[in-house]
Amino acid sequence: MRGRAPSSLAELLDLDREALVEEWAARVAPLFTSLRLSHEQIVDALPAFLDDLHAALVHAEEEPDGAPLRHSEAAGAHGRQRLRLGADVTLLTREYALLRDCILTRAERLDLDVPLSHVRVLCASIDAALAQAVIPFACDSAERHHAEAEERERFFQLSPDMFCIAGMDGYFKRVNTYFVHVLGWTEAELYQHPFMELVHPDDQESTRAEMRKLSHGIPTLRFENRFRARDGRYRWLAWASRPVPELGLIYAAARDISEQKAVAQERERLLEAVRESEARFRNMADHAPVMLWVTDMLGGTTYMNRGWYAFTGQTEATGLGFGWLDALHPDDVERTRRTFMDSSQDRRPFRLDYRLRGTDGQYRWTVDTGSPRFDTEGQFLGYIGSVIDISDRKQAELEREALLSRESAARKEAEEANQLKDEFLATVSHELRTPLTAILGWVQLLRTGHLPESRRERALETMERNARAQGQLIEDLLDVSRIVSGKLKLDVEPVDLSAVVQQSLESVRPAADARGIQVLATVDTSSSVMGDTQRLQQVVWNLLSNAVKFTPRGGRVRLVVARRDSSVELTVEDTGQGIPSAFLPHVFERFRQADSGTTRKTGGLGLGLSIVRHIVEMHGGTVSAASEGEGRGATFTVRLPLSVTQRRDPAMPPSPRPPALGRVSTPPPELGGVRVLVVDDEEDARELLRTLLEDSGAEVATAGSAAEGLQVLQAEHPDVLVSDIGMPGTDGYGFIAQVRALSDEQGGRTPAVAITAYARSEDRTRVLRAGFQSHVPKPVEPGELLAVLASLAGRYQPLPTA
C-alpha cells in the first residue's frame, strides 16, 4: 500500500524509508567530511537497521506489554565498518542521535499521532543499537592500549637511536639496547656512575650549561658532545631532550654522529685543500699569458682570469654569465653563441675565431678553445677554455692569402697574356702571310708571260694593295711599340674636326661602296680641338674602317660630330654584328679580339681600338663602346675637350691638301745623270732599287756589304749614297761611320740615305745622328725615295778644294 500516508511509526519506516534514508544521509555527511566517505559508505547498514526498528515497532503494536527487541546484528556490523573507516565513538553516537531526530521530525511533519509507548520503544531500540555498535570500539581500545605499550617498549629497545631516561641528579635511570651497543658499557655500569664522568673534559662545561637549561624546563633541540666508550675512545653524540621537572626526569634521544663528524672533518680538510688548490689555480691563471675561463653546466661563465679583464676592460659584474658576448664584434656574436651552445649541448670540444674588443676600442682576432669538464662519475660540470690573441697571425694569414690571390691573379694574367701572345703571333703570321700570298702568287703568274694585258694590270693593282695593307699592319705594330715605350709624340695645333672627318670618310668610302654599305655623316663645323691632325685622322679612320669591316652588306654606318657643353663628341654607330656583352669590357685592350680563332670572318691584329684609346687619352679625351648584343650593332663615342683658341672663319676656304704621292711614271729630270751607290746585303732589294733608279735616269752602282760599298765609294765617287741599316758584319751605322771618317776627296761628305725596316722615331733620330741625311722606311715608296734623292742631289754643293 505504498500510495497512502503512514498512520504509525512502523508504517512510516516501511512506506517512507527511502526519503528518510536520504534526509538522514544529508544531515550525517558533514560529520564525515574529513574522512571523505562516499554516499554508499555513509548509508552502510542503515536500511538493515531500519528493518530491525520496524520489527520492534510492529512487535510493540501487537504486544504492548511485551519486551522490546534489543539485539541488532546490523548495528554491530555498522560499528565495525565505522571503526575501519577511522570514525570514533563520538561520531557514531551523533549519527544515531540524528537518526532518532529524523524519524520523530518526519512523524511530526506528517502529523502522526504516535503513542508514548511507541516513542519509548523507538528510543530504547536506537540506544540498544548504539550500544551494540560501540562494542567493537571498546574491544579495540583495550587491545590498542596494550599493543601501544608493547610497541613503545619495542621501539625503545629496537630503535636505531640511543634512547635514555636520566634524572636531574645526573644518573641514567634507563637506557635502551642501542645505547649500550654504541658505548659498550653494560646497563649496570651506566646506572652506577654519574654520566658526567663519561663526558669529554672539553665538553663538560657546555654539558652542565645544557643540564641547567633542562632543569628549568627548557627542552634541548640539538646539542653535541663527546662520550667516552668502554674502549677509551670518545664518540660524538647529538642530543634531543625534553625535561619533566615535576618528575625530576629527562627523556633524551641521542644519535651517534662520530662518522659524520669524521666525514665533516675530512670534508673540511678537503675543502681547505680545494681552496688552496683554487687559490693556486687562480694565481697561476691570473698570471697566465692567455685569457682563461670556466663555465657551469648551463653554459654561464663562472670565472675569468685577469687577462680577460685587462684585455677587454670588463669586470666580473659585466663579463660573467653571458656578458662576455658583449665584448665580441657584432658580426661574430650570433655565430659564436650558436657554436658555443651547440658544443655545450653535445658535450664536445670546440675551437672558433672571433674578433674581441680591447680597452682601446679596437677589435683584434682571437682563437677560443674550450673542453668539457666531467667529475669522477662522468657527470658534466661545464667547460674550461682559453682565448689567445692571434691578430698578428691572422694578419699574416690575410697577407698570405692576399699574396696568393695576387700571385694567382698574376699567374692567370700571365697565362692569359701568354695565350693572347700566342693568338696574336698566330694572327700576325696570318695577316702578314695573307698579302704575301697574293703578291707572290701574282708575281709567279706574271713571270710566266702568259697573262693578258687586262690581267696584268689587275695583278699589279692587287700586289700594290696587299703591299700597302702589309705596310699598314707594320705601322700599327710600330704605333703599339711607341705607346708601350711612351714615345708616341703629338704635334699639337688647332684642328678642324670637319676636315679630319671628311678625309677619313673619303678614305673608307670606296670600301663601303664596294660592299653596299651606306655611310652617313652629320658634322658640326663650328667645333675645333687642340691636337695632332694626323693622329686624330687615324682615330676617325680606325673607327670608320672598323664599322665598315663589321657591318654586313646593305648595312649602314652613321658618324655624328656635335658639341656637348665644353667638349666635342664624335659618335660612330653601325648596324653590324655587335659586341658580345662578355667581351665589351675588353674591346679596347691590345691583342684582344672577340673572334680570334681560325674561323674568324674579319682580318686585323686587334690593335686599332687600343691605339684609338691611347691617342684619344693623350688628347685629354675619352672613348667608350656600347652594344645591345650580338647582331644589334655597336656605337663608339669619342669625347675631346673643346679648343679655346680662335678658329679660322668658317667662310674661309680650307688649306689646300698636298697631293698624294703617286706612282712615278716618268723619271724626274733631277735624277738624270745622278750617280747613285746602293749598298744592301739582299740581292733582290739591290736589283729592285737598281731598276727603279735606272728607270728614273740615274747611274747606279751596287755593293753587297759595307766593306764592298766602301771600296766602290772610293773608286766611283757617287753623288748620292743609299744604304740598308740591317746588314751582317758591319751594319749601316758602322758603314756610315767609316764613310764619314774618309776625307772629302775619298767621298767622306757624300750625301747618304738610310733605308730600314726600323721605322720608330728613335730609329730615325739615330740614323740622322749617325751621319745620314735622310731616312726612308721599308717598304719603300718609289715616289718618296726618288724625291729624297732628287732633293739631296740638287742640294749638295761640293766643298771648295784647297
Side-chain angles (χ1 to χ4, degrees), residues 275-317:
R275 284 192 288 269
E276 293 178 0
S277 176
E278 184 177 354
R280 288 194 299 270
F281 167 76
R282 287 179 177 270
N283 185 52
M284 290 187 296
D286 287 338
H287 293 85
V290 298
M291 294 170 272
L292 301 177
W293 52 267
V294 179
T295 70
D296 57 21
M297 63 181 64
L298 298 179
T301 304
T302 58
Y303 170 75
M304 287 179 169
N305 70 339
R306 292 180 183 175
W308 175 275
Y309 300 124
F311 187 95
T312 63
Q314 287 188 319
T315 62
E316 289 187 358

Side-chain angles (χ1 to χ4, degrees), residues 594-617:
D595 182 10
S596 59
T598 58
T599 61
R600 63 194 185 125
K601 300 176 182 179
T602 57
L605 299 178
L607 298 177
L609 291 179
S610 67
I611 295 173
V612 165
R613 182 185 66 176
H614 194 79
I615 293 175
V616 170
E617 289 176 351

Side-chain angles (χ1 to χ4, degrees), residues 358-510:
T359 54
D360 57 358
Q362 300 296 319
Y363 287 95
R364 297 178 64 83
W365 277 103
T366 58
V367 58
D368 194 339
T369 306
S371 299
R373 297 182 297 126
F374 300 94
D375 60 14
T376 56
E377 297 179 356
Q379 295 295 321
F380 176 66
L381 301 178
Y383 273 82
I384 184 170
S386 62
V387 180
I388 302 175
D389 184 355
I390 59 168
S391 293
D392 296 338
R393 187 177 74 191
K394 199 75 172 182
Q395 183 64 29
E397 291 177 356
L398 294 175
E399 292 176 356
R400 183 172 66 252
E401 291 177 0
L403 181 62
L404 291 175
S405 178
R406 290 196 298 270
E407 188 275 335
S408 177
R411 183 172 64 252
K412 182 178 180 181
E413 184 177 351
E415 292 173 353
E416 185 176 353
N418 189 54
Q419 180 181 358
L420 290 175
K421 179 197 70 176
D422 293 342
E423 293 177 355
F424 173 70
L425 292 177
T427 302
V428 169
S429 174
H430 175 271
E431 293 299 321
L432 291 178
R433 287 176 183 272
T434 298
L436 283 177
T437 300
I439 294 172
L440 291 175
W442 283 109
V443 167
Q444 290 174 358
L445 291 176
L446 287 172
R447 293 185 64 182
T448 63
H450 298 304
L451 285 178
E453 184 64 26
S454 61
R455 299 293 295 277
R456 282 199 300 273
E457 185 63 26
R458 180 184 175 188
L460 293 175
E461 290 177 358
T462 303
M463 292 166 61
E464 181 179 3
R465 184 172 66 254
N466 280 276
R468 292 185 184 279
Q470 196 171 56
Q472 182 61 48
L473 292 176
I474 295 172
E475 188 62 30
D476 284 347
L477 290 172
L478 291 176
D479 278 345
V480 170
S481 176
R482 296 185 188 104
I483 290 172
V484 171
S485 61
K487 295 181 179 180
L488 183 66
K489 305 299 181 182
L490 299 179
D491 295 328
V492 180
E493 60 181 357
V495 177
D496 183 1
L497 277 183
S498 61
V500 170
V501 169
Q502 187 62 35
Q503 293 177 14
S504 300
L505 286 172
E506 292 176 1
S507 298
V508 301
R509 199 173 295 280

Side-chain angles (χ1 to χ4, degrees), residues 110-166:
L110 294 175
D111 197 19
L112 291 181
D113 184 12
V114 182
L116 184 59
S117 59
H118 289 187
V119 174
R120 283 198 301 270
V121 171
L122 174 65
C123 293
S125 297
I126 290 176
D127 290 341
L130 175 61
Q132 188 73 20
V134 168
I135 291 174
F137 283 86
C139 296
D140 180 69
S141 177
E143 293 175 358
R144 186 162 55 249
H145 283 304
H146 179 71
E148 287 176 356
E150 290 182 350
E151 186 66 26
R152 281 196 298 272
E153 182 63 23
R154 188 181 305 110
F155 178 76
F156 184 80
Q157 295 296 339
L158 300 179
S159 174
D161 290 329
M162 302 168 62
F163 287 147
C164 69
I165 301 174

Side-chain angles (χ1 to χ4, degrees), residues 37-53:
L37 301 182
S38 65
H39 183 270
E40 290 76 10
Q41 289 175 325
I42 292 175
V43 173
D44 188 42
L46 179 61
F49 175 59
L50 292 178
D51 288 340
D52 292 343
L53 285 180

Side-chain angles (χ1 to χ4, degrees), residues 532-650:
D532 187 316
T533 303
Q534 297 299 324
R535 290 300 180 184
L536 289 177
Q537 185 173 344
Q538 185 178 359
V539 168
V540 180
W541 179 85
N542 261 312
L543 294 177
L544 285 173
S545 62
N546 256 14
V548 171
K549 182 193 301 183
F550 292 103
T551 300
R553 291 184 177 275
R556 185 181 70 254
V557 175
R558 180 178 177 84
L559 183 146
V560 178
V561 178
R563 293 180 59 170
R564 295 286 187 271
D565 297 329
S566 60
S567 63
V568 179
E569 187 174 277
L570 184 148
T571 303
V572 177
E573 179 182 351
D574 63 64
T575 59
Q577 67 185 44
I579 305 172
S581 58
F583 184 73
L584 197 59
H586 309 287
V587 72
F588 292 106
E589 295 179 10
R590 290 191 296 271
F591 312 134
R592 294 294 291 264
Q593 291 178 298
D595 182 10
S596 59
T598 58
T599 61
R600 63 194 185 125
K601 300 176 182 179
T602 57
L605 299 178
L607 298 177
L609 291 179
S610 67
I611 295 173
V612 165
R613 182 185 66 176
H614 194 79
I615 293 175
V616 170
E617 289 176 351
M618 288 183 69
H619 282 79
T622 61
V623 60
S624 61
S627 176
E628 295 183 1
E630 296 187 53
R632 307 187 67 175
T635 301
F636 289 85
T637 304
V638 175
R639 293 179 180 85
L640 296 171
L642 192 65
S643 173
V644 296
T645 60
Q646 183 65 37
R647 294 181 66 254
R648 182 183 69 250
D649 188 349

Side-chain angles (χ1 to χ4, degrees), residues 663-683:
R663 201 168 145 263
V664 181
S665 57
T666 58
E670 292 86 358
L671 291 187
V674 176
R675 293 174 297 166
V676 180
L677 171 60
V678 176
V679 181
D680 198 320
D681 63 306
E682 291 289 341
E683 183 177 354

